[in-house]
Amino acid sequence: MKEDRFMIREAVPEDARPIEELYRLLLPDHPDIEVRPDRIRQISSNPDSFLYVCEEDNVIAGTVHLHLCMDALSGTRPFAVVERVGMKRIFFMPRSAMTEKEVNYLKNTFKMKIQNEKQTIGK
């Protein structure tokens, strides 16, 4: 199995249609789902908002929206809210569907992205 089977990256405007399809799976009764390329551009320019996609074999198969929020509890350290998690299938269940190497790759990739965002905010 190739190591690059899964890739997590920040969404780009060209991802609007596949993200919209994922949201329709997530919220089938929601009447006004509309994912616009210009809105994805706005999100990517917001330093506290991150829209990620997960590609499986170069096809968008999942999305998540991460928001960094200011917090009075921990000095200047923010907390994060994760929402709008949409997937074409469950990636981690059953676990036997993925090799241990693939599971660790996904976990480490997401952890590194979060750590990088924390370092950027601390500057």
Side-chain angles (χ1 to χ4, degrees):
M1 189 140 318
K2 299 185 309 182
E3 266 196 55
D4 63 350
R5 180 175 172 200
F6 294 98
M7 181 176 70
I8 297 172
R9 62 172 175 78
E10 201 160 347
V12 295
E14 294 77 20
D15 297 329
R17 173 150 327 250
I19 292 171
E20 184 172 310
E21 290 170 5
L22 290 167
Y23 285 163
R24 290 186 189 286
L25 290 172
L26 177 65
L27 303 165
D29 298 325
H30 198 289
D32 59 343
I33 293 174
E34 178 187 13
V35 178
R36 298 171 42 149
D38 59 317
R39 188 62 168 172
I40 293 175
R41 214 174 279 109
Q42 288 175 331
I43 291 168
S44 69
S45 68
N46 182 329
D48 297 322
S49 189
F50 304 89
L51 182 61
Y52 291 110
V53 294
C54 178
E55 291 184 359
E56 180 181 18
D57 296 326
N58 298 314
V59 175
I60 294 176
T63 186
V64 63
H65 200 155
L66 172 83
H67 305 275
L68 297 177
C69 307
M70 293 187 345
D71 190 5
L73 176 72
S74 303
T76 60
R77 188 177 66 205
F79 69 93
V81 175
V82 176
E83 61 182 4
R84 304 273 194 253
V85 179
M87 297 177 282
K88 286 190 176 177
R89 66 181 182 88
I90 304 298
F91 288 107
F92 298 104
M93 300 298 263
R95 188 178 175 121
S96 61
M98 294 175 64
T99 67
E100 188 71 25
K101 193 173 185 179
E102 289 172 326
V103 171
N104 288 332
Y105 171 79
L106 285 174
K107 287 180 180 177
N108 291 332
T109 299
F110 195 69
K111 283 180 188 175
M112 286 187 323
K113 289 189 179 297
I114 297 300
Q115 288 170 353
N116 289 340
E117 300 306 335
K118 285 181 183 177
Q119 290 172 359
T120 302
I121 290 170
K123 292 181 180 179

